[in-house]
Amino acid sequence: MDNISWVEDGADRLTGWHSESGAPAPTKVVVAQDALTADTAMRMVRAGTAILWRGDYHNARQLLKAPDRRVQRRTARRERGGVTFADHRAVRTERATLPGRLLVELEADHSLDLRRAPDVRAASTAAYGEPSGKVIALTELLGVIGAHQWQAKGVHVPGLGESVHPGYGVFSPVRGEYVDLVVNAPPGDPLPQTAFDLGTGTGVPAVVPARRGIARVVATDINPRAVTSASDNIAGLGASEQVTAVEADLFPEGRADLVVCNPPWLPGEPTSALEAGIYDPGSDMLRRYLSGLADHLEPGGEGWLVLSDLAERLGLRTREELLGWVADAGLEVVDRLETVPRHGRASDAKDALHEARRGEITSLWRLAAVTG
C-alpha cells in the first residue's frame, strides 16, 4: 500500500493510500470542513488539489455532486450536436477524476469518523480485507457501500431463476441476455463432458453449462476477487461438485469439449477493476481467446463467444476485423445466435450513446477448429 501525507493542525500526518483504479496518492492535500463552498472546492480540484474531508458526511456527499453537475451541464451543451465515443469517454473520465479528489480517512478499524457517518466497517472490511487505516476517495467508499448492499441483497439472474451475490470489484450480471444465449444454445450431440468458462466474474456462465448436464466445468478469472466471488456463488447455487473456479489469465491447463467466453465488449482503457468487465484495451482478451481456442478444444469441440456488436456500431471495431481474427486463428463459424438487449440504456433517449445502443445486437458465435 502506498502512503499519503498532509499537514493538519500544524502537524505532519502520514497514513496508507488506496485507490481501486491504481491512481497515485495526491501530492497536494488540503483539510476542509463544512465551510468550504462548492465553487472553492471546484477551483481547488481543478488545480490538482485533493480535499481531505473532516466535516459532516452528508454535506460531503452534497459537495461531491457539485463538480459532477458542472461537468454534466457543460457536456450536455456539446452533446446536442452529437457525441463520439471518444467524447463520451473523456466526459466519463473527467466526471470520475474531479469528484475523486474529495477524500475521507478510514480509521484503523475501518470506521469513518465524520458527523452523521454510517457504520462502514463491515462494507470496508468486505472490500479491503483486514482493517487498517487508509485514505480513499469518497466516491470509492460510496462504491464499497453500494457493492456491500448488492452483495447482501443479491442480483436475480432470470436465466438461472436464482440470485447471485457479486463481491466488491466484480462485474455484476445485470445484462441477462448473454446468460439467455448460453442457456438456449444447442448443447451438442453427444453432450460435452468438459467445459471452460473464461473470465467468469460471478461464476454465472460456468453454472449454466453445469446445469445443462456437463460433468466438469473450470471457471477462470484473472481478478482474485472474482475467483472468490465465483466460488461463493457456485457453492450457493449448489454446483460445487461440477464447477471449480481458479485464478488464471484466460485459459486453464488442458482441453475441453466446450470453451465459453464473454469478453469485455468495447476496446478501451478501463479506469478500475470493475470497468475491466466492459473495456478491453486493443480487444486483447477477445483476440487471445480466438488465437488460443483451437489449442484448448478437444477434437470436435466448440468455442462459444458471446459478444455485443456495440463496438462495431461505435466505429471501434469492424465485423471484417472480427471475422479476420476468427480465420487467422484457424476457426470457422458454425452458427450464430442473436438477441437484443433488455437493459434500460437501450431505450434511454438521454443516453449519449443511445443511437448505437438502440440497434445493438448480442450474439453467441459457435466456433470450431478448421479440419483438413
Side-chain angles (χ1 to χ4, degrees):
M1 181 188 296
D2 294 334
N3 289 321
I4 183 172
S5 61
W6 70 97
V7 176
E8 187 171 4
D9 296 329
D12 292 334
R13 292 285 310 276
L14 179 74
T15 193
W17 163 257
H18 181 86
S19 168
E20 200 63 26
S21 65
T27 57
K28 187 176 182 181
V29 181
V30 172
V31 176
Q33 298 196 35
D34 300 313
L36 181 69
T37 66
D39 287 339
T40 301
M42 193 67 174
R43 287 194 295 270
M44 292 169 66
V45 297
R46 283 196 178 281
T49 299
I51 301 168
L52 179 59
W53 189 253
R54 295 302 195 194
D56 180 86
Y57 172 77
H58 292 284
N59 287 348
R61 292 198 60 176
Q62 288 301 311
L63 185 63
L64 191 65
K65 298 176 182 178
D68 196 35
R69 285 195 297 266
R70 284 164 169 76
V71 172
Q72 287 187 67
R73 283 199 299 268
R74 189 172 67 254
T75 54
R77 291 192 292 270
R78 298 176 190 165
E79 290 173 358
R80 292 190 188 106
V83 61
T84 67
F85 180 71
D87 294 333
H88 172 70
R89 287 297 289 162
V91 169
R92 291 292 298 268
T93 299
E94 186 176 13
R95 288 178 62 185
T97 300
L98 296 180
R101 290 180 179 144
L102 183 60
L103 314 178
V104 293
E105 182 178 13
L106 294 177
E107 304 297 325
D109 63 349
H110 274 167
S111 63
L112 186 62
D113 187 18
L114 299 177
R115 292 189 304 279
R116 294 199 295 168
D119 186 348
V120 301
R121 290 174 295 179
S124 298
T125 301
Y128 301 126
E130 287 299 315
S132 63
K134 58 176 68 68
V135 169
I136 61 174
L138 178 57
T139 50
E140 180 168 317
L141 178 62
L142 295 177
V144 165
I145 295 170
H148 193 248
Q149 293 170 343
W150 271 50
Q151 187 171 13
K153 181 181 178 181
V155 178
H156 184 70
V157 182
L160 288 176
E162 297 185 60
S163 294
V164 296
H165 300 266
Y168 177 64
V170 181
F171 195 72
S172 178
V174 291
R175 293 189 55 164
E177 58 264 27
Y178 81 90
V179 179
D180 294 342
L181 286 169
V182 177
V183 167
N184 295 319
D189 185 17
L191 182 72
Q193 292 301 299
T194 56
F196 296 157
D197 171 41
L198 313 183
T200 194
T202 57
V204 168
V207 173
V208 172
R211 289 198 169 176
R212 300 191 68 179
I214 296 179
R216 177 177 173 270
V217 183
V218 179
T220 72
D221 207 292
I222 196 172
N223 180 358
R225 284 175 172 158
V227 175
T228 299
S229 181
S231 297
D232 292 342
N233 286 312
I234 289 165
L237 294 168
S240 294
E241 292 188 5
Q242 294 167 269
V243 186
T244 303
V246 299
E247 185 176 342
D249 184 6
L250 211 56
F251 293 97
E253 293 184 0
R255 295 172 179 262
D257 300 315
L258 175 64
V259 181
V260 181
C261 186
N262 174 214
W265 293 346
L266 295 175
E269 291 291 337
T271 60
S272 67
L274 193 60
E275 274 206 344
I278 305 172
Y279 296 100
D280 181 15
S283 298
D284 176 68
M285 182 175 175
L286 169 60
R287 297 178 70 171
R288 288 194 295 124
Y289 168 68
L290 293 173
S291 64
L293 180 58
D295 290 336
H296 289 86
L297 283 177
E298 294 284 8
E302 281 191 11
W304 288 0
L305 170 65
V306 183
L307 194 66
S308 160
D309 68 353
L310 185 59
E312 298 172 21
R313 295 177 182 275
L314 292 171
L316 304 176
R317 181 174 58 234
T318 67
R319 178 60 57 92
E320 290 70 24
E321 281 182 293
L322 176 60
L323 292 176
W325 297 338
V326 170
D328 290 345
L331 304 170
E332 61 182 352
V333 179
V334 175
D335 194 10
R336 184 160 59 92
L337 311 177
E338 297 181 348
T339 188
V340 295
R342 299 191 301 268
H343 60 87
R345 287 186 176 181
S347 57
D348 182 5
K350 296 180 180 178
D351 187 280
L353 304 179
H354 172 65
E355 286 302 316
R357 295 189 193 278
R358 185 172 59 178
E360 181 185 0
I361 294 174
T362 302
S363 301
L364 185 151
W365 298 74
R366 293 177 57 201
L367 306 173
V370 175
T371 58

